[in-house]
Amino acid sequence: MHVIAPQAVDTLIRLLSGDGYEVVGPTRRDGAIVYDRVGGLEDLPVGWTDEQAPGHYRLRERDDDALFGYVVGPHSWKKYLFPPEETLFRLTRQPDGSFVTEPGPSDAPRRAFIGMRACELAAIDVQDRVFLGQAVQDRGYAARRRDLFMVAVSCAEPGGTCFCASMDTGPRAREGFDLALTEVIDATQHFLVAEAGSDAGRAMLDRLEPRPASDTEQAAAERVWAEAPSMMGRSMPGDAREVLNRAFEHPRWEETAERCLSCSNCTLVCPTCFCSQVEEVPDLEGQRTERVRRWDSCFNQEHSHLVGGPHRESVAARYRQWITHKLATWHDQFGTSGCVGCGRCITWCPVGIDITEEVTAVRRDPEGRG
Ligand code: SF4
Ligand code: SF4
């Protein structure tokens, strides 16, 4: 373990930019912390924190200069690896009437992600299984994933809707990163403990001129890791998969549907949801067409359109599909949970529906007797 000064994060961003990376990290915009290009420390939300609860998100100024004193916002890294809209291929009519097919542009700049939380590393592992772990790999995702440089941050102050500790995906970043940082800040000290997770991370850490962590500094980082889980606002029951597998006809889904607006916010903010639709976009002369993929949601009625119409017509059916897929059948399909406990779907649900509360309610009353 090594120690770097807060200012070294600025050096890190500038070195990565100089090496040709497009550096993306947390920044403050429109009253939220979102992910966008960053050029230095001045772009990070230094001295800010977020307050999160079901259907509630507010930024507040901190009384210190913490670099990473907040948790996750409405954006996830998904928007870079699996963009909301992507041209998959183009067909162009030739003079002899045949068509030439070209792959869509591969939007794959070398990117560095700064400030990734442990739950977000886990979410990328989940999406890797979806897009790369099947018989056919997703070409665009593979290209965007290949040369990533990932700088993780272990959460020191989890939020009110976080529950990654109960999903075993955080809050300490343990693997899947090039560099991991743990921020230690109090009235007398402010430093970051840095760990390399790859050769590229080790080489970059050397360029930041770190010094070995003393026993006291190491103990301070260990305190952060030990205390953070107890600050989580929520917890998912460990037997969620079994509970939901037995609850297909549970009356809870109708009750939840009375509140659910079927707005799809929960799926759009979720770092693992991958539903999409494809559309043909032809030109007016009929000479060229593009096949475009866009994010979709299982909360949209038309997403379940098969022969004869949608087969999940009710909101209850769509809510049940989402929660049982996330926490139960995802295991059967991809060998892991589809939920990493980031809490975004709870915070950004306009009516505050809480995935942990839903599972707890069904678990408490498995027969739905009320
Ligand atoms: S289901 Fe909710 S808590 Fe789980 S990963 Fe998706 S947004 Fe995060
Ligand atoms: S659970 Fe909440 S966020 Fe999701 S579709 Fe329903 S109202 Fe929208």
Side-chain angles (χ1 to χ4, degrees):
M1 278 183 209
H2 288 82
V3 164
I4 58 173
Q7 194 58 33
V9 174
D10 187 73
T11 310
L12 170 64
I13 294 171
R14 291 179 201 281
L15 285 173
L16 287 166
S17 297
D19 290 351
Y21 285 99
E22 179 183 299
V23 185
V24 181
T27 194
R28 195 161 55 89
R29 196 173 65 220
D30 299 332
I33 291 171
V34 297
Y35 295 147
D36 208 339
R37 292 185 71 162
V38 290
L41 214 47
E42 70 279 6
D43 292 328
L44 299 190
V46 176
W48 287 86
T49 191
D50 47 10
E51 180 185 286
Q52 301 199 32
H56 175 89
Y57 180 96
R58 293 287 182 277
L59 292 187
R60 302 261 179 256
E61 283 193 74
R62 298 172 59 95
D63 55 11
D64 60 26
D65 289 329
L67 272 50
F68 300 105
Y70 39 85
V71 286
V72 296
H75 287 187
S76 72
W77 307 101
K78 173 172 92 170
K79 72 173 185 156
Y80 292 102
L81 299 177
F82 168 48
E85 181 174 310
E86 182 177 11
T87 299
L88 299 177
F89 62 83
R90 295 195 177 101
L91 286 177
T92 308
R93 195 191 295 272
Q94 302 302 296
D96 66 1
S98 64
F99 285 90
V100 169
T101 312
E102 309 160 74
S106 92
D107 161 35
R110 269 176 99 206
R111 285 199 176 107
F113 292 165
I114 305 283
M116 307 178 74
R117 306 308 171 120
C119 63
E120 302 189 297
L121 294 168
I124 289 181
D125 181 63
V126 171
Q127 287 219 317
D128 284 353
R129 292 172 190 237
V130 173
F131 291 113
L132 306 178
Q134 310 298 306
V136 177
Q137 295 201 338
D138 188 278
R139 190 182 62 92
Y141 183 91
R144 290 183 288 270
R145 179 75 175 86
R146 197 171 301 125
D147 289 325
L148 277 184
F149 188 91
M150 304 202 276
V151 181
V153 171
S154 291
C155 284
E157 296 172 21
T161 56
C162 292
F163 59 98
C164 70
S166 60
M167 301 304 289
D168 202 20
T169 56
R172 183 184 172 189
R174 292 182 181 277
E175 57 185 2
F177 53 78
D178 294 294
L179 266 183
L181 306 174
T182 300
E183 187 168 24
V184 176
I185 185 165
D186 61 30
T188 58
Q189 53 185 353
H190 187 190
F191 61 86
L192 294 109
V193 169
E195 300 165 273
S198 68
D199 291 343
R202 244 176 302 282
M204 179 53 76
L205 185 54
D206 286 345
R207 292 165 73 190
L208 299 177
E209 300 178 357
R211 58 179 174 75
S214 67
D215 288 349
T216 317
E217 287 162 336
Q218 199 162 317
E222 281 164 7
R223 259 195 315 279
V224 169
W225 301 328
E227 288 169 9
S230 64
M231 297 182 205
M232 303 224 159
R234 278 162 168 73
S235 169
M236 178 65 79
D239 56 356
R241 181 184 184 186
E242 293 73 30
V243 167
L244 293 175
N245 271 337
R246 289 193 299 266
F248 198 65
E249 300 298 345
H250 201 283
R252 179 79 186 184
W253 312 134
E254 291 293 345
E255 290 163 32
T256 308
E258 285 174 19
R259 292 195 292 146
C260 175
L261 309 172
S262 206
C263 66
S264 80
N265 263 17
C266 47
T267 58
L268 299 179
V269 295
C270 178
T272 66
C273 277
F274 61 88
C275 285
S276 63
Q277 53 154 318
V278 288
E279 263 177 39
E280 296 299 328
V281 185
D283 67 4
L284 288 176
E285 287 93 33
Q287 297 304 307
R288 207 166 122 109
T289 187
E290 291 188 343
R291 181 163 295 180
V292 177
R293 178 171 70 186
R294 295 197 175 90
W295 285 0
D296 200 354
S297 169
C298 54
F299 279 94
N300 294 335
Q301 196 180 46
E302 277 303 302
H303 188 70
S304 69
H305 194 120
L306 293 176
V307 180
H311 65 274
R312 287 192 286 269
E313 288 191 74
S314 69
V315 175
R318 298 202 286 281
Y319 187 82
R320 176 183 64 188
Q321 158 64 24
W322 177 72
I323 194 169
T324 55
H325 189 209
K326 277 281 151 204
L327 294 164
T329 53
W330 206 297
H331 285 276
D332 306 322
Q333 205 176 355
F334 301 112
T336 182
S337 167
C339 174
V340 295
C342 72
R344 286 181 177 90
C345 58
I346 306 172
T347 298
W348 297 96
C349 173
V351 294
I353 293 173
D354 175 346
I355 187 171
T356 65
E357 188 183 311
E358 294 304 307
V359 174
T360 304
V362 172
R363 187 172 187 269
R364 203 169 36 231
D365 181 15
E367 304 303 324
R369 297 208 168 97

